Amino acid sequence: MSAIFGEILTFTQQHGGDVDLATIGDDKYARYETVDGFSVVYDESREGYCYADVDGPGPGRRFRSTGVRISEKPPKGLRRHLKEGQDYRRLLVKERSERAVPQDERESLDPDTLFTFGANRGLLLGDRLSEGDVQGLTILVTFPGTDTTVTPADVDAMLNGPDYHANGNHCSVREFFRAMSSDRLRFGNTVVGPFRMSRSRLTYANNEGLLAPEAIAAAVDAGVDFSRFDSQGRGIVDSICVLYAGATEFAGDLWPHSTVFSRDVGQGMRTQFHTVTSMGRTPAEQSIGTFCHESGHLLCRWPDLYDYGKIEREGDDFTSAGLGSYCVMGAGNHLGGGRKPSPVCVYLRRLVGWCATDIDLTAPATYEAKHADYDTALIYQNPDREDSEYYLVENRSRIDFDEKLTADGLAVYHCDIKGSNEFQQGSLLHHYQCALLQADGHLDLETNANQGDGGDLYGPTEGTAISHSSRPASTWWDGGESGLTISGIGAPGPVISFRTGEPNTEGESVGGSSAPQALIPELDPGGLTDAITLQSTGTVRELSVTIDIEHPRIGDLRVVLMTPSGRRAVLHNRSGGNTKNLLLKLDSRPPSALAPLTGDAVTGSWKLRITDSAQPGAGTLRRWELKVRTAG
């Protein structure tokens, strides 16, 4: 499936022209809102989108059309951001998820297996086709009144071309999977059609289960020999993709998806898995990202690495970003407008046997992470624990397939095949299947703040970057110490070196103090900045700060410590209400706000910035002190 996280997209109507709607969800469940936040549904009787209300209270409530088109004023008293009931949403997701499982595996289906949880060693249920020569069938379809200038030759080049770069695409679909698998999977596609569908495009956008059966029937009627697409001799077509005319529309049958449709197509063959996505309106709109994403589900049985849990089990109704743009099976298929998708992350490559070499990081040593070495996995495991949980390290420098990433450097993943990217809590029972340790400690992916930013990957670090006391910490999901310590990380590039194991702890103690007795300006965004300069050749191993501020209301104050390199720690953020005077004594032991500053260089100007958000009531920075224990 392919998820949308609140983007404003364009949708068609029978009458009234195209409309822009905020879209939240995926092919299993989605809802739509006007740009100013009113929920909407497509009302066939009004031939367009109308404001939605709910049909009653309770967890089983459903949307109903108000009959008022969104080009008009909303009905009086209608509330924004309405949602259908949890029970109804769960039912829809369960039904649609079960339809994506082959029939012979449904009877013994555990509901949890729909969301991975290790049922198939981290993969989705169904036969995997991740090695050898696999020839898929791609069926092109058009609709009455909706055509495209994309030709079968254009699609064939995008899917199979050995040197395909049209419209800025990085490569063809075949070359993407060949590179990711180190030539283990050679996935080609035979293009047939286009076939004209019997209904309007709008009909398929507002219904489910119509498009693929009709497209497959058209291929049967055209005499397509389906036995050519059975590389395993199973009597099952390996891969079918339906590419429809026009732009991608995230609704109904037209939402890009991968699911099951079983039909006897003659010659002892039947269909099973298929995908659906668009071919665009013109060749300039062709992109490989979504085709690669959906084919990853179909062939390799990879799960989505974003929060696909619209079922909201265990009361988790928060949508996180999962692995974000750092994998084609997260949101990475959209990078570069879908033309330069993110690679398959090492976690998923390893699950399907695409990494011939595991380099064990448990022995303290200096290692090299080579960019685009897709055949190798750098892994840290604890032999005293079951093998479902481990750490992986990967070079994600912004070159080649990673060109469009927002960050640049070393990626560290916390992996557990029994996890689920539905659960972002980071607890023993509720954690991701594959989580990126975000170097800035902000947890933006877990809180859905973004799909990745410049602070996520580890850049040059002389001292310790990751340990049991860093933020984020290299602990196990149960809070136990894993023993993974990474230091001495090199600069982004084709090769990033790093060290594992405890660094040399012989260091020195350095520190300084300042007693400026300085007035803190009120309602000034710049506030007051005071500095202490330290000199040392080492990096921060332990850190403590003492701050003494005189102020009539500490709830007005924000206090930030900045390292010489520019890293920041918020030490006090307008808490404490009417309490007088702020006396802070902090050290770097987690979960302290100072923990993320360990491993930073010591030498330079350490700055304390204080801002006051209200008046009257001026305050004074009386004194502050900084103590650092360095790592050698």
PDB file of all heavy atoms in Angstrom, residues 41-77:
ATOM      1  N   VAL A  41     -17.358  13.348   2.008  1.00  0.00           N
ATOM      2  CA  VAL A  41     -17.559  12.069   1.327  1.00  0.00           C
ATOM      3  C   VAL A  41     -18.016  12.368  -0.096  1.00  0.00           C
ATOM      4  O   VAL A  41     -18.539  13.459  -0.371  1.00  0.00           O
ATOM      5  CB  VAL A  41     -18.607  11.187   2.041  1.00  0.00           C
ATOM      6  CG1 VAL A  41     -18.111  10.747   3.397  1.00  0.00           C
ATOM      7  CG2 VAL A  41     -19.944  11.915   2.149  1.00  0.00           C
ATOM      8  N   TYR A  42     -17.814  11.400  -0.976  1.00  0.00           N
ATOM      9  CA  TYR A  42     -18.333  11.565  -2.337  1.00  0.00           C
ATOM     10  C   TYR A  42     -19.785  11.115  -2.354  1.00  0.00           C
ATOM     11  O   TYR A  42     -20.119   9.994  -1.971  1.00  0.00           O
ATOM     12  CB  TYR A  42     -17.522  10.751  -3.344  1.00  0.00           C
ATOM     13  CG  TYR A  42     -17.872  11.131  -4.768  1.00  0.00           C
ATOM     14  CD1 TYR A  42     -17.237  12.201  -5.378  1.00  0.00           C
ATOM     15  CD2 TYR A  42     -18.854  10.438  -5.479  1.00  0.00           C
ATOM     16  CE1 TYR A  42     -17.563  12.573  -6.679  1.00  0.00           C
ATOM     17  CE2 TYR A  42     -19.190  10.799  -6.776  1.00  0.00           C
ATOM     18  CZ  TYR A  42     -18.536  11.873  -7.364  1.00  0.00           C
ATOM     19  OH  TYR A  42     -18.864  12.243  -8.645  1.00  0.00           O
ATOM     20  N   ASP A  43     -20.655  12.009  -2.772  1.00  0.00           N
ATOM     21  CA  ASP A  43     -22.100  11.752  -2.811  1.00  0.00           C
ATOM     22  C   ASP A  43     -22.512  11.561  -4.268  1.00  0.00           C
ATOM     23  O   ASP A  43     -22.542  12.517  -5.046  1.00  0.00           O
ATOM     24  CB  ASP A  43     -22.850  12.938  -2.182  1.00  0.00           C
ATOM     25  CG  ASP A  43     -24.340  12.665  -2.018  1.00  0.00           C
ATOM     26  OD1 ASP A  43     -24.899  11.891  -2.817  1.00  0.00           O
ATOM     27  OD2 ASP A  43     -24.948  13.262  -1.105  1.00  0.00           O
ATOM     28  N   GLU A  44     -22.780  10.295  -4.654  1.00  0.00           N
ATOM     29  CA  GLU A  44     -23.099  10.016  -6.057  1.00  0.00           C
ATOM     30  C   GLU A  44     -24.400  10.685  -6.481  1.00  0.00           C
ATOM     31  O   GLU A  44     -24.563  11.069  -7.643  1.00  0.00           O
ATOM     32  CB  GLU A  44     -23.175   8.511  -6.274  1.00  0.00           C
ATOM     33  CG  GLU A  44     -21.815   7.831  -6.114  1.00  0.00           C
ATOM     34  CD  GLU A  44     -21.834   6.376  -6.556  1.00  0.00           C
ATOM     35  OE1 GLU A  44     -22.882   5.929  -7.070  1.00  0.00           O
ATOM     36  OE2 GLU A  44     -20.811   5.703  -6.390  1.00  0.00           O
ATOM     37  N   SER A  45     -25.354  10.861  -5.540  1.00  0.00           N
ATOM     38  CA  SER A  45     -26.613  11.506  -5.900  1.00  0.00           C
ATOM     39  C   SER A  45     -26.415  12.978  -6.221  1.00  0.00           C
ATOM     40  O   SER A  45     -27.179  13.562  -6.994  1.00  0.00           O
ATOM     41  CB  SER A  45     -27.631  11.353  -4.771  1.00  0.00           C
ATOM     42  OG  SER A  45     -27.247  12.096  -3.623  1.00  0.00           O
ATOM     43  N   ARG A  46     -25.376  13.609  -5.605  1.00  0.00           N
ATOM     44  CA  ARG A  46     -25.062  15.017  -5.895  1.00  0.00           C
ATOM     45  C   ARG A  46     -23.929  15.133  -6.912  1.00  0.00           C
ATOM     46  O   ARG A  46     -23.526  16.244  -7.261  1.00  0.00           O
ATOM     47  CB  ARG A  46     -24.669  15.769  -4.620  1.00  0.00           C
ATOM     48  CG  ARG A  46     -25.766  15.869  -3.562  1.00  0.00           C
ATOM     49  CD  ARG A  46     -27.011  16.585  -4.084  1.00  0.00           C
ATOM     50  NE  ARG A  46     -26.715  17.852  -4.732  1.00  0.00           N
ATOM     51  CZ  ARG A  46     -26.563  19.014  -4.076  1.00  0.00           C
ATOM     52  NH1 ARG A  46     -26.700  19.056  -2.763  1.00  0.00           N
ATOM     53  NH2 ARG A  46     -26.295  20.127  -4.737  1.00  0.00           N
ATOM     54  N   GLU A  47     -23.373  13.974  -7.330  1.00  0.00           N
ATOM     55  CA  GLU A  47     -22.318  13.902  -8.350  1.00  0.00           C
ATOM     56  C   GLU A  47     -21.099  14.738  -7.962  1.00  0.00           C
ATOM     57  O   GLU A  47     -20.472  15.369  -8.802  1.00  0.00           O
ATOM     58  CB  GLU A  47     -22.862  14.343  -9.714  1.00  0.00           C
ATOM     59  CG  GLU A  47     -23.993  13.452 -10.214  1.00  0.00           C
ATOM     60  CD  GLU A  47     -24.470  13.830 -11.594  1.00  0.00           C
ATOM     61  OE1 GLU A  47     -24.512  15.049 -11.902  1.00  0.00           O
ATOM     62  OE2 GLU A  47     -24.798  12.925 -12.380  1.00  0.00           O
ATOM     63  N   GLY A  48     -20.775  14.718  -6.664  1.00  0.00           N
ATOM     64  CA  GLY A  48     -19.603  15.453  -6.217  1.00  0.00           C
ATOM     65  C   GLY A  48     -19.379  15.271  -4.729  1.00  0.00           C
ATOM     66  O   GLY A  48     -20.130  14.573  -4.031  1.00  0.00           O
ATOM     67  N   TYR A  49     -18.326  15.907  -4.232  1.00  0.00           N
ATOM     68  CA  TYR A  49     -17.973  15.818  -2.814  1.00  0.00           C
ATOM     69  C   TYR A  49     -18.873  16.733  -1.994  1.00  0.00           C
ATOM     70  O   TYR A  49     -19.090  17.897  -2.334  1.00  0.00           O
ATOM     71  CB  TYR A  49     -16.508  16.177  -2.605  1.00  0.00           C
ATOM     72  CG  TYR A  49     -15.576  15.059  -3.015  1.00  0.00           C
ATOM     73  CD1 TYR A  49     -15.015  15.008  -4.291  1.00  0.00           C
ATOM     74  CD2 TYR A  49     -15.273  14.032  -2.120  1.00  0.00           C
ATOM     75  CE1 TYR A  49     -14.177  13.970  -4.670  1.00  0.00           C
ATOM     76  CE2 TYR A  49     -14.438  12.981  -2.495  1.00  0.00           C
ATOM     77  CZ  TYR A  49     -13.897  12.960  -3.759  1.00  0.00           C
ATOM     78  OH  TYR A  49     -13.079  11.924  -4.117  1.00  0.00           O
ATOM     79  N   CYS A  50     -19.357  16.174  -0.867  1.00  0.00           N
ATOM     80  CA  CYS A  50     -20.220  16.910   0.046  1.00  0.00           C
ATOM     81  C   CYS A  50     -19.639  16.846   1.460  1.00  0.00           C
ATOM     82  O   CYS A  50     -18.879  15.935   1.800  1.00  0.00           O
ATOM     83  CB  CYS A  50     -21.631  16.315   0.059  1.00  0.00           C
ATOM     84  SG  CYS A  50     -22.546  16.517  -1.482  1.00  0.00           S
ATOM     85  N   TYR A  51     -20.021  17.828   2.259  1.00  0.00           N
ATOM     86  CA  TYR A  51     -19.634  17.801   3.671  1.00  0.00           C
ATOM     87  C   TYR A  51     -20.196  16.549   4.326  1.00  0.00           C
ATOM     88  O   TYR A  51     -21.316  16.115   4.041  1.00  0.00           O
ATOM     89  CB  TYR A  51     -20.161  19.032   4.402  1.00  0.00           C
ATOM     90  CG  TYR A  51     -19.565  20.329   3.930  1.00  0.00           C
ATOM     91  CD1 TYR A  51     -20.286  21.185   3.087  1.00  0.00           C
ATOM     92  CD2 TYR A  51     -18.285  20.708   4.323  1.00  0.00           C
ATOM     93  CE1 TYR A  51     -19.743  22.377   2.653  1.00  0.00           C
ATOM     94  CE2 TYR A  51     -17.728  21.913   3.887  1.00  0.00           C
ATOM     95  CZ  TYR A  51     -18.462  22.738   3.046  1.00  0.00           C
ATOM     96  OH  TYR A  51     -17.922  23.921   2.617  1.00  0.00           O
ATOM     97  N   ALA A  52     -19.427  15.949   5.234  1.00  0.00           N
ATOM     98  CA  ALA A  52     -19.837  14.735   5.920  1.00  0.00           C
ATOM     99  C   ALA A  52     -20.201  15.028   7.362  1.00  0.00           C
ATOM    100  O   ALA A  52     -19.575  15.861   8.026  1.00  0.00           O
ATOM    101  CB  ALA A  52     -18.720  13.701   5.870  1.00  0.00           C
ATOM    102  N   ASP A  53     -21.217  14.342   7.837  1.00  0.00           N
ATOM    103  CA  ASP A  53     -21.546  14.291   9.255  1.00  0.00           C
ATOM    104  C   ASP A  53     -21.505  12.817   9.654  1.00  0.00           C
ATOM    105  O   ASP A  53     -21.282  11.945   8.803  1.00  0.00           O
ATOM    106  CB  ASP A  53     -22.937  14.892   9.493  1.00  0.00           C
ATOM    107  CG  ASP A  53     -23.124  15.359  10.933  1.00  0.00           C
ATOM    108  OD1 ASP A  53     -22.286  14.995  11.786  1.00  0.00           O
ATOM    109  OD2 ASP A  53     -24.100  16.064  11.201  1.00  0.00           O
ATOM    110  N   VAL A  54     -21.673  12.502  10.923  1.00  0.00           N
ATOM    111  CA  VAL A  54     -21.710  11.107  11.347  1.00  0.00           C
ATOM    112  C   VAL A  54     -23.152  10.732  11.673  1.00  0.00           C
ATOM    113  O   VAL A  54     -23.970  11.582  12.036  1.00  0.00           O
ATOM    114  CB  VAL A  54     -20.790  10.857  12.558  1.00  0.00           C
ATOM    115  CG1 VAL A  54     -19.344  10.935  12.132  1.00  0.00           C
ATOM    116  CG2 VAL A  54     -21.070  11.838  13.686  1.00  0.00           C
ATOM    117  N   ASP A  55     -23.454   9.429  11.535  1.00  0.00           N
ATOM    118  CA  ASP A  55     -24.840   8.987  11.669  1.00  0.00           C
ATOM    119  C   ASP A  55     -25.251   8.713  13.111  1.00  0.00           C
ATOM    120  O   ASP A  55     -26.328   8.173  13.354  1.00  0.00           O
ATOM    121  CB  ASP A  55     -25.094   7.752  10.805  1.00  0.00           C
ATOM    122  CG  ASP A  55     -24.185   6.579  11.164  1.00  0.00           C
ATOM    123  OD1 ASP A  55     -23.440   6.679  12.167  1.00  0.00           O
ATOM    124  OD2 ASP A  55     -24.219   5.566  10.444  1.00  0.00           O
ATOM    125  N   GLY A  56     -24.398   9.068  14.051  1.00  0.00           N
ATOM    126  CA  GLY A  56     -24.751   8.895  15.452  1.00  0.00           C
ATOM    127  C   GLY A  56     -23.522   8.836  16.321  1.00  0.00           C
ATOM    128  O   GLY A  56     -22.390   8.932  15.830  1.00  0.00           O
ATOM    129  N   PRO A  57     -23.695   8.659  17.633  1.00  0.00           N
ATOM    130  CA  PRO A  57     -22.552   8.555  18.537  1.00  0.00           C
ATOM    131  C   PRO A  57     -22.018   7.124  18.565  1.00  0.00           C
ATOM    132  O   PRO A  57     -22.578   6.222  17.951  1.00  0.00           O
ATOM    133  CB  PRO A  57     -23.170   8.934  19.890  1.00  0.00           C
ATOM    134  CG  PRO A  57     -24.581   8.432  19.785  1.00  0.00           C
ATOM    135  CD  PRO A  57     -24.990   8.635  18.335  1.00  0.00           C
ATOM    136  N   GLY A  58     -20.946   6.931  19.281  1.00  0.00           N
ATOM    137  CA  GLY A  58     -20.456   5.591  19.530  1.00  0.00           C
ATOM    138  C   GLY A  58     -19.402   5.123  18.555  1.00  0.00           C
ATOM    139  O   GLY A  58     -19.195   5.713  17.495  1.00  0.00           O
ATOM    140  N   PRO A  59     -18.748   4.004  18.890  1.00  0.00           N
ATOM    141  CA  PRO A  59     -17.621   3.497  18.090  1.00  0.00           C
ATOM    142  C   PRO A  59     -18.013   2.936  16.740  1.00  0.00           C
ATOM    143  O   PRO A  59     -17.158   2.687  15.903  1.00  0.00           O
ATOM    144  CB  PRO A  59     -17.021   2.409  18.990  1.00  0.00           C
ATOM    145  CG  PRO A  59     -18.153   1.976  19.866  1.00  0.00           C
ATOM    146  CD  PRO A  59     -18.960   3.204  20.104  1.00  0.00           C
ATOM    147  N   GLY A  60     -19.332   2.708  16.513  1.00  0.00           N
ATOM    148  CA  GLY A  60     -19.749   2.179  15.222  1.00  0.00           C
ATOM    149  C   GLY A  60     -20.232   3.235  14.257  1.00  0.00           C
ATOM    150  O   GLY A  60     -20.704   2.905  13.161  1.00  0.00           O
ATOM    151  N   ARG A  61     -20.076   4.493  14.604  1.00  0.00           N
ATOM    152  CA  ARG A  61     -20.613   5.566  13.754  1.00  0.00           C
ATOM    153  C   ARG A  61     -19.903   5.615  12.400  1.00  0.00           C
ATOM    154  O   ARG A  61     -18.717   5.311  12.304  1.00  0.00           O
ATOM    155  CB  ARG A  61     -20.494   6.918  14.456  1.00  0.00           C
ATOM    156  CG  ARG A  61     -19.079   7.390  14.706  1.00  0.00           C
ATOM    157  CD  ARG A  61     -19.047   8.666  15.552  1.00  0.00           C
ATOM    158  NE  ARG A  61     -17.686   9.130  15.776  1.00  0.00           N
ATOM    159  CZ  ARG A  61     -16.897   8.689  16.751  1.00  0.00           C
ATOM    160  NH1 ARG A  61     -17.344   7.768  17.599  1.00  0.00           N
ATOM    161  NH2 ARG A  61     -15.679   9.166  16.889  1.00  0.00           N
ATOM    162  N   ARG A  62     -20.686   6.032  11.379  1.00  0.00           N
ATOM    163  CA  ARG A  62     -20.159   6.119  10.026  1.00  0.00           C
ATOM    164  C   ARG A  62     -20.455   7.504   9.466  1.00  0.00           C
ATOM    165  O   ARG A  62     -21.353   8.208   9.928  1.00  0.00           O
ATOM    166  CB  ARG A  62     -20.805   5.058   9.142  1.00  0.00           C
ATOM    167  CG  ARG A  62     -20.546   3.638   9.585  1.00  0.00           C
ATOM    168  CD  ARG A  62     -21.296   2.634   8.724  1.00  0.00           C
ATOM    169  NE  ARG A  62     -20.959   2.766   7.305  1.00  0.00           N
ATOM    170  CZ  ARG A  62     -21.419   1.957   6.360  1.00  0.00           C
ATOM    171  NH1 ARG A  62     -22.230   0.955   6.689  1.00  0.00           N
ATOM    172  NH2 ARG A  62     -21.088   2.139   5.099  1.00  0.00           N
ATOM    173  N   PHE A  63     -19.687   7.862   8.448  1.00  0.00           N
ATOM    174  CA  PHE A  63     -19.964   9.114   7.751  1.00  0.00           C
ATOM    175  C   PHE A  63     -21.252   8.995   6.946  1.00  0.00           C
ATOM    176  O   PHE A  63     -21.588   7.926   6.419  1.00  0.00           O
ATOM    177  CB  PHE A  63     -18.831   9.469   6.787  1.00  0.00           C
ATOM    178  CG  PHE A  63     -17.606  10.050   7.448  1.00  0.00           C
ATOM    179  CD1 PHE A  63     -16.334   9.739   6.973  1.00  0.00           C
ATOM    180  CD2 PHE A  63     -17.717  10.935   8.509  1.00  0.00           C
ATOM    181  CE1 PHE A  63     -15.209  10.276   7.560  1.00  0.00           C
ATOM    182  CE2 PHE A  63     -16.589  11.479   9.103  1.00  0.00           C
ATOM    183  CZ  PHE A  63     -15.337  11.150   8.628  1.00  0.00           C
ATOM    184  N   ARG A  64     -21.954  10.105   6.842  1.00  0.00           N
ATOM    185  CA  ARG A  64     -23.071  10.225   5.919  1.00  0.00           C
ATOM    186  C   ARG A  64     -22.974  11.590   5.251  1.00  0.00           C
ATOM    187  O   ARG A  64     -22.464  12.544   5.835  1.00  0.00           O
ATOM    188  CB  ARG A  64     -24.413  10.080   6.650  1.00  0.00           C
ATOM    189  CG  ARG A  64     -24.669  11.152   7.691  1.00  0.00           C
ATOM    190  CD  ARG A  64     -26.074  11.056   8.259  1.00  0.00           C
ATOM    191  NE  ARG A  64     -26.313  12.070   9.277  1.00  0.00           N
ATOM    192  CZ  ARG A  64     -26.646  13.326   9.025  1.00  0.00           C
ATOM    193  NH1 ARG A  64     -26.778  13.735   7.763  1.00  0.00           N
ATOM    194  NH2 ARG A  64     -26.861  14.177  10.006  1.00  0.00           N
ATOM    195  N   SER A  65     -23.451  11.662   4.062  1.00  0.00           N
ATOM    196  CA  SER A  65     -23.403  12.933   3.337  1.00  0.00           C
ATOM    197  C   SER A  65     -24.475  13.881   3.878  1.00  0.00           C
ATOM    198  O   SER A  65     -25.615  13.476   4.130  1.00  0.00           O
ATOM    199  CB  SER A  65     -23.626  12.696   1.845  1.00  0.00           C
ATOM    200  OG  SER A  65     -23.760  13.933   1.165  1.00  0.00           O
ATOM    201  N   THR A  66     -24.096  15.133   4.030  1.00  0.00           N
ATOM    202  CA  THR A  66     -25.087  16.154   4.388  1.00  0.00           C
ATOM    203  C   THR A  66     -25.875  16.604   3.169  1.00  0.00           C
ATOM    204  O   THR A  66     -26.876  17.314   3.300  1.00  0.00           O
ATOM    205  CB  THR A  66     -24.398  17.379   5.002  1.00  0.00           C
ATOM    206  OG1 THR A  66     -23.523  17.960   4.021  1.00  0.00           O
ATOM    207  CG2 THR A  66     -23.609  16.996   6.253  1.00  0.00           C
ATOM    208  N   GLY A  67     -25.392  16.231   1.977  1.00  0.00           N
ATOM    209  CA  GLY A  67     -26.023  16.684   0.748  1.00  0.00           C
ATOM    210  C   GLY A  67     -25.617  18.078   0.328  1.00  0.00           C
ATOM    211  O   GLY A  67     -26.040  18.571  -0.724  1.00  0.00           O
ATOM    212  N   VAL A  68     -24.741  18.711   1.116  1.00  0.00           N
ATOM    213  CA  VAL A  68     -24.281  20.067   0.805  1.00  0.00           C
ATOM    214  C   VAL A  68     -22.909  19.965   0.155  1.00  0.00           C
ATOM    215  O   VAL A  68     -21.945  19.487   0.783  1.00  0.00           O
ATOM    216  CB  VAL A  68     -24.204  20.942   2.072  1.00  0.00           C
ATOM    217  CG1 VAL A  68     -23.704  22.337   1.722  1.00  0.00           C
ATOM    218  CG2 VAL A  68     -25.558  21.001   2.761  1.00  0.00           C
ATOM    219  N   ARG A  69     -22.803  20.376  -1.086  1.00  0.00           N
ATOM    220  CA  ARG A  69     -21.525  20.295  -1.791  1.00  0.00           C
ATOM    221  C   ARG A  69     -20.500  21.232  -1.150  1.00  0.00           C
ATOM    222  O   ARG A  69     -20.854  22.274  -0.585  1.00  0.00           O
ATOM    223  CB  ARG A  69     -21.702  20.632  -3.267  1.00  0.00           C
ATOM    224  CG  ARG A  69     -22.528  19.580  -4.027  1.00  0.00           C
ATOM    225  CD  ARG A  69     -22.717  19.984  -5.472  1.00  0.00           C
ATOM    226  NE  ARG A  69     -21.443  20.048  -6.169  1.00  0.00           N
ATOM    227  CZ  ARG A  69     -20.992  19.136  -7.020  1.00  0.00           C
ATOM    228  NH1 ARG A  69     -21.727  18.067  -7.279  1.00  0.00           N
ATOM    229  NH2 ARG A  69     -19.837  19.273  -7.628  1.00  0.00           N
ATOM    230  N   ILE A  70     -19.243  20.842  -1.251  1.00  0.00           N
ATOM    231  CA  ILE A  70     -18.211  21.621  -0.563  1.00  0.00           C
ATOM    232  C   ILE A  70     -17.930  22.961  -1.235  1.00  0.00           C
ATOM    233  O   ILE A  70     -17.175  23.775  -0.698  1.00  0.00           O
ATOM    234  CB  ILE A  70     -16.904  20.807  -0.421  1.00  0.00           C
ATOM    235  CG1 ILE A  70     -16.317  20.462  -1.795  1.00  0.00           C
ATOM    236  CG2 ILE A  70     -17.141  19.555   0.390  1.00  0.00           C
ATOM    237  CD1 ILE A  70     -14.958  19.794  -1.724  1.00  0.00           C
ATOM    238  N   SER A  71     -18.531  23.213  -2.382  1.00  0.00           N
ATOM    239  CA  SER A  71     -18.430  24.534  -3.002  1.00  0.00           C
ATOM    240  C   SER A  71     -19.343  25.540  -2.298  1.00  0.00           C
ATOM    241  O   SER A  71     -19.229  26.749  -2.514  1.00  0.00           O
ATOM    242  CB  SER A  71     -18.799  24.456  -4.484  1.00  0.00           C
ATOM    243  OG  SER A  71     -20.099  23.903  -4.646  1.00  0.00           O
ATOM    244  N   GLU A  72     -20.229  25.025  -1.441  1.00  0.00           N
ATOM    245  CA  GLU A  72     -21.142  25.880  -0.691  1.00  0.00           C
ATOM    246  C   GLU A  72     -20.657  26.026   0.754  1.00  0.00           C
ATOM    247  O   GLU A  72     -19.683  25.375   1.167  1.00  0.00           O
ATOM    248  CB  GLU A  72     -22.551  25.276  -0.715  1.00  0.00           C
ATOM    249  CG  GLU A  72     -23.096  25.019  -2.119  1.00  0.00           C
ATOM    250  CD  GLU A  72     -24.392  24.227  -2.094  1.00  0.00           C
ATOM    251  OE1 GLU A  72     -25.192  24.433  -1.159  1.00  0.00           O
ATOM    252  OE2 GLU A  72     -24.581  23.401  -3.002  1.00  0.00           O
ATOM    253  N   LYS A  73     -21.329  26.857   1.539  1.00  0.00           N
ATOM    254  CA  LYS A  73     -20.981  27.010   2.940  1.00  0.00           C
ATOM    255  C   LYS A  73     -21.345  25.731   3.690  1.00  0.00           C
ATOM    256  O   LYS A  73     -22.356  25.091   3.396  1.00  0.00           O
ATOM    257  CB  LYS A  73     -21.733  28.190   3.554  1.00  0.00           C
ATOM    258  CG  LYS A  73     -21.253  29.548   3.080  1.00  0.00           C
ATOM    259  CD  LYS A  73     -22.008  30.661   3.802  1.00  0.00           C
ATOM    260  CE  LYS A  73     -21.508  32.038   3.351  1.00  0.00           C
ATOM    261  NZ  LYS A  73     -22.224  33.140   4.056  1.00  0.00           N
ATOM    262  N   PRO A  74     -20.554  25.341   4.694  1.00  0.00           N
ATOM    263  CA  PRO A  74     -20.873  24.127   5.455  1.00  0.00           C
ATOM    264  C   PRO A  74     -22.160  24.310   6.254  1.00  0.00           C
ATOM    265  O   PRO A  74     -22.522  25.434   6.624  1.00  0.00           O
ATOM    266  CB  PRO A  74     -19.669  23.963   6.383  1.00  0.00           C
ATOM    267  CG  PRO A  74     -19.074  25.321   6.487  1.00  0.00           C
ATOM    268  CD  PRO A  74     -19.310  25.980   5.168  1.00  0.00           C
ATOM    269  N   PRO A  75     -22.878  23.228   6.513  1.00  0.00           N
ATOM    270  CA  PRO A  75     -24.095  23.319   7.329  1.00  0.00           C
ATOM    271  C   PRO A  75     -23.800  23.940   8.694  1.00  0.00           C
ATOM    272  O   PRO A  75     -22.733  23.710   9.275  1.00  0.00           O
ATOM    273  CB  PRO A  75     -24.540  21.860   7.469  1.00  0.00           C
ATOM    274  CG  PRO A  75     -23.934  21.164   6.298  1.00  0.00           C
ATOM    275  CD  PRO A  75     -22.633  21.853   6.042  1.00  0.00           C
ATOM    276  N   LYS A  76     -24.722  24.690   9.187  1.00  0.00           N
ATOM    277  CA  LYS A  76     -24.555  25.366  10.467  1.00  0.00           C
ATOM    278  C   LYS A  76     -24.356  24.334  11.579  1.00  0.00           C
ATOM    279  O   LYS A  76     -25.086  23.353  11.689  1.00  0.00           O
ATOM    280  CB  LYS A  76     -25.778  26.225  10.772  1.00  0.00           C
ATOM    281  CG  LYS A  76     -25.612  27.113  11.998  1.00  0.00           C
ATOM    282  CD  LYS A  76     -26.812  28.023  12.183  1.00  0.00           C
ATOM    283  CE  LYS A  76     -26.624  28.933  13.390  1.00  0.00           C
ATOM    284  NZ  LYS A  76     -27.797  29.848  13.570  1.00  0.00           N
ATOM    285  N   GLY A  77     -23.351  24.575  12.401  1.00  0.00           N
ATOM    286  CA  GLY A  77     -23.068  23.701  13.536  1.00  0.00           C
ATOM    287  C   GLY A  77     -22.211  22.498  13.223  1.00  0.00           C
ATOM    288  O   GLY A  77     -21.859  21.729  14.134  1.00  0.00           O
TER     289      GLY A  77
END
